[in-house]
Amino acid sequence: MTEPVIEAIDAVKFLGEGAGRVQALKGVSLAVGGGELTLLMGPSGSGKTTLLSILGCMLTPTSGTVRVGGRATADAGPEELAKIRRENIGFVFQSYHLFPTLNALDNVRLALDVRGENSHRAMQKSKEALARVGLALKMASYPSELSGGEQQRVAIARAIVSNPAILLADEPTAALDSENGHAIMEVLAEIAREQSRGVLVVTHDPRIVPFSDRIVSIEDGKIIGDKRPADGEARADKSGTAAAERTDKPSRKDRKRKP
């Protein structure tokens, strides 16, 4: 694996207080390198979302170390953690978290506004990010005018527009049908390979396993498996044709979707 872009070392996390206190993570270590798509898989309550939140500097571990871009975060205060997130990490969620009163372009540009980039260059970068995910013709569309798959692509464009070293995705295909889910994973796989980013996807969706370079299994707050597909089972290399085939047309299911 390449030099880690993000890692947790012996991370322990307790949640709750008193009798309701539970140990969500039990000494977990995980490093994600650039240029690969890693799946973090486990049942509900296994600790996978807690681990993602700790790696994303949204939660702090009870004990253990988190490094982002080689820098330990233990001594960082809230403002410094927010800066680390802005400069290094892109987030994609199951719920798209788009502003309904903003069109696709403005939803993406907002990620640069919070960084103080509100110039013509910021607008150009937002257009490039949308084109990168196949939405060059949908920039003026509002969320209500987009299919579920298209809204998730806007969310991905927003996550990558600031050129983060790591992309963290929490169940990005859970709300999508198989066709749209595969399209989203093709985009994420391309981003990992072509832009040398680390991409970590939390999921329990077995349909997206063929898109992965690495599969990490977590259960009861512990890593119980870490494997890379054999050569014959390597990540589905659909992206070579995906860029050429991807259009701004919705999937068959989305074309049936009423406004």
Side-chain angles (χ1 to χ4, degrees):
M1 187 180 71
T2 60
E3 188 71 18
V5 293
I6 198 167
E7 61 181 328
I9 303 171
D10 296 327
V12 172
K13 183 63 178 179
F14 285 91
L15 298 173
E17 299 291 339
R21 194 180 192 212
V22 296
Q23 187 173 1
L25 295 179
K26 304 173 182 177
V28 169
S29 295
L30 176 65
V32 179
E36 66 177 13
L37 190 154
T38 300
L39 298 184
L40 180 60
M41 304 189 74
S44 178
S46 61
K48 57 186 186 294
T49 298
T50 300
L51 179 56
L52 189 81
S53 298
I54 285 176
L55 288 169
C57 299
M58 294 184 289
L59 287 177
T60 56
T62 304
S63 65
T65 302
V66 174
R67 291 196 181 104
V68 179
R71 182 202 164 175
T73 63
D75 297 329
E79 291 185 3
E80 187 63 22
L81 287 174
K83 181 180 179 183
I84 291 171
R85 287 194 297 270
R86 288 196 304 268
E87 294 181 351
N88 297 278
I89 306 170
F91 295 93
V92 179
F93 302 98
Q94 177 180 341
S95 299
Y96 319 121
H97 295 304
L98 303 180
F99 287 89
T101 57
L102 299 180
N103 63 25
L105 182 60
D106 287 338
N107 263 288
V108 174
R109 187 170 58 85
L110 190 63
L112 297 176
D113 286 347
V114 299
R115 293 166 54 92
E117 298 182 43
N118 51 13
S119 63
H120 172 74
R121 178 57 184 150
M123 182 68 74
Q124 185 60 35
K125 288 167 69 174
S126 300
K127 291 179 179 179
E128 290 170 357
L130 283 167
R132 179 72 184 78
V133 298
L135 293 181
L137 302 181
K138 297 284 188 177
M139 295 185 187
S141 298
Y142 290 85
S144 62
E145 301 170 326
L146 299 172
S147 70
E150 289 169 338
Q151 290 183 63
Q152 190 63 290
R153 291 190 193 190
V154 174
I156 293 172
R158 181 182 58 197
I160 66 174
V161 69
S162 59
N163 197 32
I166 180 75
L167 196 64
L168 302 179
D170 191 5
E171 302 281 4
T173 63
L176 302 176
D177 62 82
S178 179
E179 185 175 355
N180 270 308
H182 282 196
I184 291 302
M185 290 307 300
E186 285 173 354
V187 171
L188 292 176
E190 289 174 29
I191 289 169
R193 182 175 63 255
E194 296 177 7
Q195 300 184 19
S196 298
R197 287 193 179 95
V199 178
L200 177 64
V201 177
V202 163
T203 185
H204 61 270
D205 186 353
R207 299 174 301 175
I208 68 176
V209 166
F211 294 91
S212 67
D213 295 300
R214 178 185 178 199
I215 303 168
V216 177
S217 300
I218 186 170
E219 189 171 324
D220 295 329
K222 297 179 181 179
I223 300 294
I224 61 170
D226 189 343
K227 66 179 182 180
R228 295 178 183 274
D231 291 341
E233 302 172 350
R235 181 174 65 199
D237 190 14
K238 301 176 182 178
S239 54
T241 57
E245 294 176 352
R246 188 185 302 126
T247 69
D248 294 296
K249 296 179 181 179
S251 70
R252 288 189 298 272
K253 181 173 180 177
D254 287 328
R255 286 197 293 270
K256 297 177 182 179
R257 178 177 176 269
K258 296 181 180 179

